[in-house]
Amino acid sequence: PALAVADGEVVATLDGLPDQIPGDLPEGLTFAESDGNHVVLKIAEGVYVLYAHFAPGSVAVKVGDHVTRGEVLGLVGNSGNTSAPHLHLHVMDGPSALDANGLPYVFESFLLTAINNEGTEAFDLAETTGAPVPLDAITPPVLYQSLLVMDQWLVDWVAP
């Protein structure tokens, strides 16, 4: 499940696009289909959050809904311009991912549980072959606060 990162109002959704076949980027998508099945929340004046690439038929909210932090918005999938299932999340200054600027943000808290120390090449190989990403466990997990999750980190979300 993809959860709302903050209270907000649903200002855009798209649902019904198929998941892509993992391993290759799709061809022939329109700009409107690039984020796949998605939700956009307005969480403050001039602050919007995009959640993209949901599974088809899983968007659980509609435009005009007010959601609370932690509420399920949909299920992570592989729709749109993507080669592997994942959640694309970013904060922006407008309601359209194609016509907005990104804004800096941090997460209140999370536990770092593992790291892919072999880097992006190992991740890319796993993505194209379907093999597991090599992960080194962090034992015990490390609590971070007011930080952005770094590339190749595996985290669990915790309440602040």
Side-chain angles (χ1 to χ4, degrees):
L3 309 178
V5 297
D7 295 352
E9 179 185 355
V10 178
V11 296
T13 65
L14 179 65
D15 199 356
L17 296 176
D19 271 342
Q20 302 298 336
I21 297 169
D24 290 313
L25 287 172
E27 294 182 14
L29 292 178
T30 67
F31 281 121
E33 296 170 328
S34 61
D35 292 326
N37 303 314
H38 65 272
V39 171
V40 177
L41 290 183
K42 180 179 182 181
I43 62 169
E45 194 59 44
V47 182
Y48 300 80
V49 184
L50 168 70
Y51 306 78
H53 308 303
F54 285 177
S58 75
V59 173
V61 295
K62 63 185 182 316
V63 172
D65 284 353
H66 291 270
V67 300
T68 58
R69 177 180 168 180
E71 188 171 332
V72 174
L73 302 175
L75 301 177
V76 174
N78 193 38
S79 62
N81 190 32
T82 174
S83 61
H86 72 285
L87 175 65
H88 178 115
L89 181 143
H90 75 255
V91 180
M92 53 197 183
D93 65 1
S96 168
L98 300 174
D99 190 27
N101 293 306
L103 297 173
Y105 64 95
V106 296
F107 293 101
E108 283 184 297
S109 60
F110 59 87
L111 287 171
L112 175 62
T113 60
I115 298 176
N116 168 16
N117 285 310
E118 295 184 30
T120 302
E121 285 183 15
F123 179 88
D124 291 345
L125 179 64
E127 187 175 51
T128 58
T129 65
V133 174
L135 295 171
D136 295 317
I138 306 297
T139 307
V142 177
L143 175 67
Y144 285 98
Q145 295 179 305
S146 299
L147 190 72
L148 183 63
V149 174
M150 302 305 290
D151 190 35
Q152 307 298 327
W153 283 13
L154 181 68
V155 303
D156 280 340
W157 304 108
V158 295

